[in-house]
């Protein structure tokens, strides 16, 4: 077996550098005790570890696996075996001077695991040869190199860790709270002068904007710079404040809806504005607009308003709106469901539609206040009917029932007959004769009510159409007296006093037909259908 000489290792203490002294006498090869980390078995020596002289069998101190050593081959062997090496506290080193050894940083303590080693291997004759063979002296180490490298290594290991250079500001302890601004800086690090300029610009812009808005609002409230333009506005009973504002805006009387809404809320203008038809002007300010839309501000009287005899409710309402007394919409709505006085003649009248008071709005000449309420207008007309249809006329209803109708007629039926007379009679003088024809057809036509064949009832059904055709005579309506027998559901007009009296006092005759003579403008009456047909043909040829 080939012997290999391995230079002796330096003994290193884990804590400090220890001097190495020369052996006093003959150098005795010692074998170092190796402590293996493996618990199960002892690893076999590698080829590099065979025939290594054993210096001592004494216990040695444990070396870290990565500690520096003069014998590089041994360190490599130990590293490859992954075994910590134990060295004695005082082990002989290379014979010569004391060599400072770099101190490794203290490694974490490792648990020593001492596996059981069979000492019988020491009785091997080959091993004895190696032990007692003359040891080849190891070459003397280079003292200068060791000293220099040891010092450099020690200084390198003892040197403090390199630190990044610190700025003077970072060495100061951090302050709590908001950092102090630098002198001459304002919000967001902007220089104070610039901050001041920005604030002044903002204040100026806000001031100019607010001033402009104030001027615009004041100009609208006070109507500055408006042209002189008359405007007519109609306010209905059902209009809300928003509806009124929209009408004022659409007619150019105000420019800002929300501004007038605010003014109305502050001044309670909604309570002051009354329904009506108002002549306003674009030069009126807000206060003037509200005052002019109030009926109490100026009670102008509209005098001598003539309601002609035979006008329907539709025609009367339209005329009153035209004269600025009240709107047709409000009059119809109030007639249908508004609260009225307790009139005796309306006892059997069914309300609910706009023209339910037909026949009882007495035609006459009136004085009205401009922009009157619907109740004021309607009650004035109904009061006149009540006054004209006096107790004497009420007593005549009983006489009519006894002599003509056989009973069952009341003021409502009398009003229906009177409305037909009003539309059919060419003059008040022939009204009783027209009434006699109607009653004869109703009660003397072989004892069975007949068709009245009154064109005026169809005109009423067609909302005032006067140029009737044959198709119109077949219109499906309860007011068509060509297709429905008896009276119409309601009066077809508002009769005057002469027509009411004729309905109560019909002329007693045997006429069942009449036709208008275009030459005289009066009606020609006949008893039979043949006479009537001859009269119709004669007047047609004369035209």
């Amino acid at each position: 077996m080939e012997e290999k000489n391995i230079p002796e290792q330096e003994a290193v203490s884990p804590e400090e550098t220890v001097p190495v002294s020369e052996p006093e006498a003959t150098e005795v090869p010692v074998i170092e005790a190796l402590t293996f980390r493996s618990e199960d078995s002892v690893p076999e020596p590698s080829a590099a570890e065979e025939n290594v002289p054993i210096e001592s069998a004494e216990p040695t101190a444990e070396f870290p696996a990565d500690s520096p050593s003069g014998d590089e081959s041994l360190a490599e062997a130990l590293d490859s075996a992954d075994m910590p090496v134990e060295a004695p506290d005082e082990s002989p080193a290379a014979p010569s001077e004391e060599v400072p050894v770099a101190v490794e940083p203290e490694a974490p303590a490792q648990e020593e695991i001492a596996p059981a080693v069979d000492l019988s291997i020491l009785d091997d004759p080959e091993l004895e040869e190696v032990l007692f063979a003359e040891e080849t002296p190891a070459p003397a180490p280079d003292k200068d190199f060791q000293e220099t490298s040891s010092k450099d290594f020690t200084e390198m290991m003892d040197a403090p860790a390199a630190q990044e250079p610190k700025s003077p500001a970072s060495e100061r302890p951090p302050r709590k709270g908001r950092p102090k601004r630098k002198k001459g800086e304002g919000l967001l690090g902007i220089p104070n002068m610039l901050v001041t300029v920005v604030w002044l610009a903002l204040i100026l812009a806000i001031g100019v904007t607010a001033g402009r808005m104030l001027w615009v609002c004041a100009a609208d409230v006070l109507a500055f710079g408006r042209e002189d333009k008359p405007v007519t506005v109609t306010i209905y009973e059902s209009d809300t404040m928003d509806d009124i504002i929209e009408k004022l805006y659409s007619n150019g009387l105000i420019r800002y809806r929300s501004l007038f809404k605010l003014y109305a809320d502050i001044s309670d203008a909604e309570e002051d504005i009354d329904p009506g038809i108002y002549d306003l002007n674009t030069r009126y300010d807000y206060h003037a607009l509200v005052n002019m839309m109030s009926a109490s501000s100026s009670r102008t009287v509209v005098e001598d308003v003539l309601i002609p005899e035979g006008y329907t409710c539709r025609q009367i309402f339209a005329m009153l709106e035209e004269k600025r007394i009240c709107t047709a919409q409000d009059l119809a709505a109030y007639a249908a469901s508004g609260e009225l006085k307790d009139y005796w003649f309306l006892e059997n009248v069914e309300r609910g539609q706009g023209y339910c008071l037909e026949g009882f709005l007495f035609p006459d000449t009136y004085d009205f206040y401009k922009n009157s309420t619907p109740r004021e207008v309607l009650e004035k007309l109904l009061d006149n009917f009540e006054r004209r249809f006096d107790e004497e006329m009420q007593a005549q209803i009983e006489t009519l029932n006894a002599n003509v109708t056989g009973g069952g007629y009341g003021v409502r039926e009398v009003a229906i007959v009177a409305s037909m007379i009003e539309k059919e009679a060419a003059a008040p003088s022939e009204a009783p004769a027209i009434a006699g024809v109607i009653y004869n057809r109703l009660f003397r036509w072989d004892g069975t009510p007949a068709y009245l064949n009154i064109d005026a009832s169809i005109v009423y059904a067609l909302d005032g159409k006067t140029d009737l055709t044959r198709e119109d005579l077949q219109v499906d309506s309860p007011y068509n007296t060509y297709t429905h027998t008896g009276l119409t559901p309601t009066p077809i007009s508002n009769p005057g006093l002469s027509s009411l009296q004729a309905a109560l006092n019909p002329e007693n005759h045997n006429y069942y037909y009449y036709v208008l003579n275009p030459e005289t403008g009066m009606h020609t009456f006949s008893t039979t259908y043949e006479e009537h047909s001859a009269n119709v043909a004669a007047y047609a040829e004369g035209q």
Side-chain angles (χ1 to χ4, degrees):
M1 180 181 296
E2 184 182 357
E3 295 183 3
K4 295 181 180 180
N5 295 327
I6 300 174
E8 294 180 358
Q9 299 181 6
E10 296 175 354
V12 180
S13 173
E15 298 181 356
E16 58 184 359
T17 304
V18 293
V20 179
S21 57
E22 287 184 358
E24 294 178 355
T26 314
E27 293 180 0
V28 180
V30 294
I31 183 170
E32 295 179 355
L34 301 179
T35 303
F36 298 97
R37 303 182 73 171
S38 172
E39 297 179 358
D40 300 328
S41 61
V42 179
E44 295 180 4
S46 61
E49 293 175 346
E50 292 181 1
N51 300 326
V52 178
I54 299 175
E55 295 179 1
S56 172
E58 294 180 2
T60 58
E62 182 178 331
F63 280 88
D66 56 351
S67 62
S69 172
D71 192 346
E72 294 180 359
S73 61
L74 181 58
E76 289 176 2
L78 292 177
D79 288 341
S80 63
D82 193 18
M83 294 183 299
V85 181
E86 293 183 359
D89 292 338
E90 292 181 2
S91 58
S96 61
E97 308 164 1
E98 297 180 0
V99 180
V101 179
V103 179
E104 276 288 317
E106 185 176 355
Q110 298 181 1
E111 185 179 356
E112 292 186 4
I113 300 173
V117 179
D118 190 3
L119 299 181
S120 61
I121 61 172
L122 298 178
D123 298 331
D124 190 357
E126 292 183 6
L127 183 58
E128 248 179 53
E129 263 182 20
V130 174
L131 291 177
F132 295 102
E134 185 176 306
E135 184 178 0
T136 306
D142 189 349
K143 295 182 179 180
D144 294 337
F145 173 78
Q146 287 185 355
E147 182 175 330
T148 304
S149 60
S150 297
K151 287 182 179 180
D152 293 342
F153 184 82
T154 303
E155 290 176 0
M156 181 181 67
M157 296 303 295
D158 293 339
Q163 297 182 359
E164 297 181 0
K166 296 183 179 180
S167 62
S170 61
E171 295 179 358
R172 300 177 184 174
R175 294 185 179 182
K176 295 182 180 180
R178 189 177 64 179
K180 187 176 180 182
R181 296 175 183 167
K182 294 183 179 181
K183 204 170 184 181
E185 292 185 358
L187 185 64
L188 301 175
I190 303 174
N192 286 331
M193 182 60 69
L194 184 56
V195 170
T196 304
V197 172
V198 171
W199 277 111
L200 289 176
L202 287 175
I203 293 171
L204 182 61
I206 293 172
V208 170
T209 303
R212 180 177 176 80
M213 290 179 61
L214 183 62
W215 169 254
V216 169
C217 293
D220 195 44
V221 173
L222 302 176
F224 290 157
R226 297 282 188 84
E227 61 177 343
D228 187 356
K229 179 183 177 182
V231 177
T232 301
V233 175
T234 303
I235 306 299
Y236 298 105
E237 193 80 36
S238 59
D239 282 346
T240 63
M241 194 63 204
D242 290 337
D243 296 331
I244 296 171
I245 292 174
E246 188 61 33
K247 290 179 180 181
L248 296 177
Y249 176 80
S250 60
N251 285 281
L253 295 167
I254 61 174
R255 294 179 180 173
Y256 306 103
R257 300 182 186 90
S258 57
L259 185 60
F260 191 89
K261 175 69 173 176
L262 177 62
Y263 176 85
D265 292 340
I266 295 173
S267 62
D268 294 329
E270 189 171 3
E271 298 179 1
D272 298 331
I273 297 176
D274 297 316
I277 304 171
Y278 301 101
D279 293 324
L280 306 175
N281 197 296
T282 54
R283 296 183 66 181
Y284 290 170
D285 58 20
Y286 284 7
H287 182 70
L289 288 174
V290 174
N291 283 343
M292 292 302 295
M293 289 187 291
S294 175
S296 60
S297 61
S298 60
R299 299 292 288 178
T300 304
V301 178
V302 182
E303 299 179 350
D304 301 330
V305 178
L306 175 62
I307 297 178
E309 296 173 346
Y311 260 34
T312 62
C313 286
R314 185 190 301 274
Q315 291 172 313
I316 293 174
F317 294 165
M319 184 188 68
L320 292 176
E321 180 173 339
E322 184 180 354
K323 293 184 177 296
R324 311 294 178 83
I325 296 169
C326 191
T327 65
Q329 176 179 319
D330 289 345
L331 287 169
Y334 202 88
S337 58
E339 184 179 356
L340 297 170
K341 294 178 183 178
D342 189 13
Y343 296 102
W344 64 270
F345 53 86
L346 296 181
E347 182 179 357
N348 295 323
V349 173
E350 184 179 354
R351 299 179 67 187
Q353 55 96 12
Y355 307 129
C356 61
L357 300 179
E358 197 81 76
F360 303 101
L361 303 180
F362 197 80
D364 206 343
T365 301
Y366 297 91
D367 292 339
F368 293 102
Y369 283 114
K370 191 175 182 180
N371 293 321
S372 298
T373 65
R375 181 171 183 172
E376 291 173 348
V377 174
L378 294 176
E379 289 187 346
K380 180 171 285 192
L381 299 175
L382 294 172
D383 288 344
N384 198 15
F385 183 93
E386 186 175 37
R387 187 168 53 255
R388 296 301 183 94
F389 206 99
D390 55 16
E391 294 179 358
E392 182 181 354
M393 295 178 69
Q394 294 177 39
Q396 291 174 0
I397 295 176
E398 298 179 2
T399 305
L400 177 68
N401 286 329
N403 299 329
V404 178
T405 66
Y409 265 37
V411 64
R412 174 177 172 272
E413 288 73 22
V414 170
I416 292 174
V417 174
S419 69
M420 293 180 180
I421 296 170
E422 190 68 57
K423 301 300 288 187
E424 291 290 305
S429 59
E430 67 176 20
I434 297 291
V437 172
I438 293 173
Y439 285 120
N440 285 342
R441 287 201 170 207
L442 289 172
F443 301 103
R444 293 180 184 176
W445 196 301
D446 296 332
T448 303
Y451 295 102
L452 293 178
N453 293 343
I454 294 177
D455 293 347
S457 63
I458 299 179
V459 172
Y460 186 83
L462 298 175
D463 294 332
K465 181 182 179 181
T466 58
D467 188 13
L468 299 179
T469 63
R470 289 190 177 274
E471 289 78 10
D472 293 335
L473 298 180
Q474 300 301 317
V475 64
D476 184 14
S477 170
Y479 290 92
N480 187 350
T481 55
Y482 282 85
T483 58
H484 293 75
T485 60
L487 298 176
T488 55
T490 66
I492 61 173
S493 69
N494 291 280
L497 186 59
S498 61
S499 297
L500 288 170
Q501 290 175 341
L504 290 171
N505 301 283
E507 185 179 318
N508 187 11
H509 55 65
N510 294 324
Y511 298 135
Y512 292 91
Y513 303 95
Y514 56 85
V515 62
L516 181 65
N517 185 349
E519 292 182 0
T520 62
M522 302 295 288
H523 288 90
T524 300
F525 296 88
S526 58
T527 303
T528 64
Y529 181 71
E530 290 76 14
E531 293 176 348
H532 175 66
S533 296
N535 291 331
V536 171
Y539 296 147
E541 290 178 1
Q543 293 178 353

